[in-house]
Amino acid sequence: MGGAVGLGAVLAACGDSDGKDSGAAGSKSAGPWSFKDDRGKTAEAKSVPKNIVAFTGVAAALHDYGVEVKAVFGPTKTKDGKADVQAGDLDISKVEILGNVWGEFNVEKYAALGPELLVTAMWEKDALWYVPDQSKDKILKLAPSVALWAAQTTIPKAIQRHEDLAVSLGADVKATKVTDAKARFEKAAARLRAAAKSKPDIKVMIGSASQDLFYVTLAKTAADTLYFQELGVKFVEPKVNSAGFFEELSWENVDKYQADIIMMDNRSSALQPGALTSKPTWTQLPAVKAGQVIPRTAEPIFSYDKCAPILDDLAKAIEDAKKAR
C-alpha cells in the first residue's frame, strides 16, 4: 500500500469501510474506449485496449471474465516455480512477469511491451498497489491506468467493479461460466449468513504472521471481512495502530485476544500455520488447540468464481466449529 503505511502492511489486509462505487463500464465498440476508475479518473484510448498489463490478482479476475493480459506484476510465481495463490487460473508461463515481489517492476520491459492499459488494485486512495513509488511517474507516462478498490469496499461491490472493467474490455458477462459462478456465489453467501446466525457465539480472529510479530486485522478494513461481518460473522476487534488497519502483537502477547476460529493470511508474504508450531504461545491459543485454524484469502481475486469458495469455506468452518474459549 505504499507511502505512510509501508511494507509492514503487505502482511495484513487494510483499508477502511466506506464503500464507493464509481463510474459505469465504458463502450466495448471499436471506437473510442473510456473507463472511470475508483480514483475518479477516466482512462481513455482510441480503441479497446488489447495490450493490457495488470497486478496479478486483477489479471486473474479479468481472466475469469475471458479478458487476457500480456504481462503481470506482483506475487505470481513461488520459489519452486509454481503459480502463486494470487495468480488464480492464470497460465503464468504465458504472461511476462515484470515483478514478483514488493518494490520490483521492470520499467524497461514494460515500455518494450507497448502497453495500452495498466490495471491494479488500490488499498489507499490514489496508491497504486505494487507500482513502486520511485518509478511510478515513469510507469504512468507509458499508458492509461485504472485502479480498483481492494479496500473501502465489500466483495460484491469489488466484483461488480472488476466486471464493469471486464465488460468495457469486451467480456461477455452473460456467458454460462460467469452466470453459473454468480449463482454459486449467491448460494455460498446465503450459506454463510445462515451459518453465522446458527452459531452467534462463535468469534473469529483475522491473523497474519511474521517471524517477530502477529498482526490482528480489524474486520471492517478489508473487502472480504467487512462483507463477512455484514453477513453476521462475529470478529475480534483489535486496538489498531495509527494507520488504522491492524494491531501488531509480539509473540509473547499473542494471547491478548481469544477466538474460536483463526483465519490466517494465506499469502506467500506471510508465515503459514505449519511454520508456527515452534512458538509455544501460538500452540496454546484456544482455536489452535481446537484445530480451528483456517486459511484466509487476504487478497481475494474479485470474480464470482474465486469468491464463492471463500464464502463456502468460512461457512463450513463456522458450521463445524465448537466454542473454544
Side-chain angles (χ1 to χ4, degrees):
M1 51 229 49
V5 181
L7 180 57
V10 175
L11 291 171
C14 52
D16 162 320
S17 63
D18 287 328
K20 292 186 185 73
D21 260 350
S22 55
S27 164
K28 59 177 176 180
S29 68
W33 172 88
S34 70
F35 183 85
K36 188 176 181 184
D37 77 356
D38 292 350
R39 295 170 295 180
K41 293 186 177 180
T42 300
E44 294 178 303
K46 288 179 181 171
S47 59
V48 176
K50 298 288 182 213
N51 227 5
I52 303 165
V53 175
F55 171 69
T56 305
V58 177
L62 291 174
H63 170 84
D64 286 350
Y65 287 104
V67 176
E68 302 302 340
V69 306
K70 289 287 169 69
V72 294
F73 55 95
T76 307
K77 191 185 281 193
T78 59
K79 284 174 185 163
D80 57 6
K82 292 182 179 154
D84 188 275
V85 66
Q86 293 190 62
D89 293 335
L90 283 178
D91 183 343
I92 63 168
S93 69
K94 291 186 176 170
V95 290
E96 182 93 48
I97 300 171
L98 301 178
N100 198 52
V101 296
W102 185 260
E104 188 178 88
F105 191 114
N106 190 318
V107 183
E108 290 72 25
K109 267 192 191 175
Y110 177 61
L113 287 167
E116 295 171 335
L117 179 65
L118 177 83
V119 192
T120 191
M122 183 167 63
W123 290 82
E124 292 181 298
K125 181 73 169 155
D126 298 330
L128 301 183
W129 195 226
Y130 274 80
V131 175
D133 285 343
Q134 65 271 25
S135 50
K136 181 179 69 176
D137 293 345
K138 279 186 197 168
I139 291 164
L140 294 181
K141 277 178 190 161
L142 294 168
S145 62
V146 163
L148 298 177
W149 277 121
Q152 306 197 20
T153 187
T154 61
I155 284 178
K157 289 177 182 177
I159 290 175
Q160 184 59 58
R161 293 296 289 142
H162 284 70
E163 190 170 284
D164 289 346
L165 177 61
V167 167
S168 84
L169 296 168
D172 175 13
V173 292
K174 292 186 172 65
T176 306
K177 182 187 172 191
V178 177
T179 57
D180 284 357
K182 186 172 184 179
R184 285 197 307 277
F185 176 85
E186 287 168 350
K187 188 178 176 185
R191 180 185 177 187
L192 180 53
R193 190 188 293 277
K197 192 174 181 182
S198 72
K199 297 271 188 84
D201 293 336
I202 294 296
K203 190 165 265 196
V204 181
M205 180 158 67
I206 311 156
S208 185
S210 71
Q211 199 55 51
D212 300 319
L213 294 169
F214 184 77
Y215 301 83
V216 182
T217 295
L218 186 63
K220 72 174 186 177
T221 62
D224 60 332
T225 46
L226 173 59
Y227 183 52
F228 303 155
Q229 208 167 34
E230 289 179 354
L231 292 173
V233 178
K234 308 287 194 308
F235 287 99
V236 163
E237 298 214 353
K239 292 183 172 62
V240 294
N241 63 18
S242 59
F245 308 123
F246 50 78
E247 180 177 359
E248 300 108 324
L249 299 175
S250 67
W251 283 104
E252 290 75 25
N253 297 315
V254 80
D255 59 355
K256 179 174 179 180
Y257 301 106
Q258 303 292 301
D260 304 293
I261 295 172
I262 302 176
M263 300 178 73
M264 289 294 286
D265 186 342
N266 73 342
R267 289 175 291 183
S268 50
S269 56
L271 289 182
Q272 298 308 300
L276 303 177
T277 52
S278 62
K279 297 188 182 292
T281 49
W282 166 258
T283 58
Q284 290 307 304
L285 291 175
V288 178
K289 291 206 298 200
Q292 293 176 174
V293 178
I294 62 170
R296 175 196 172 211
T297 304
E299 287 187 57
I301 293 164
F302 290 116
S303 69
Y304 291 113
D305 183 67
K306 295 300 177 292
C307 288
I310 294 172
L311 301 182
D312 267 329
D313 289 348
L314 181 55
K316 184 178 190 314
I318 292 172
E319 287 161 2
D320 295 347
K322 295 179 175 63
K323 198 159 168 57
R325 296 169 284 139

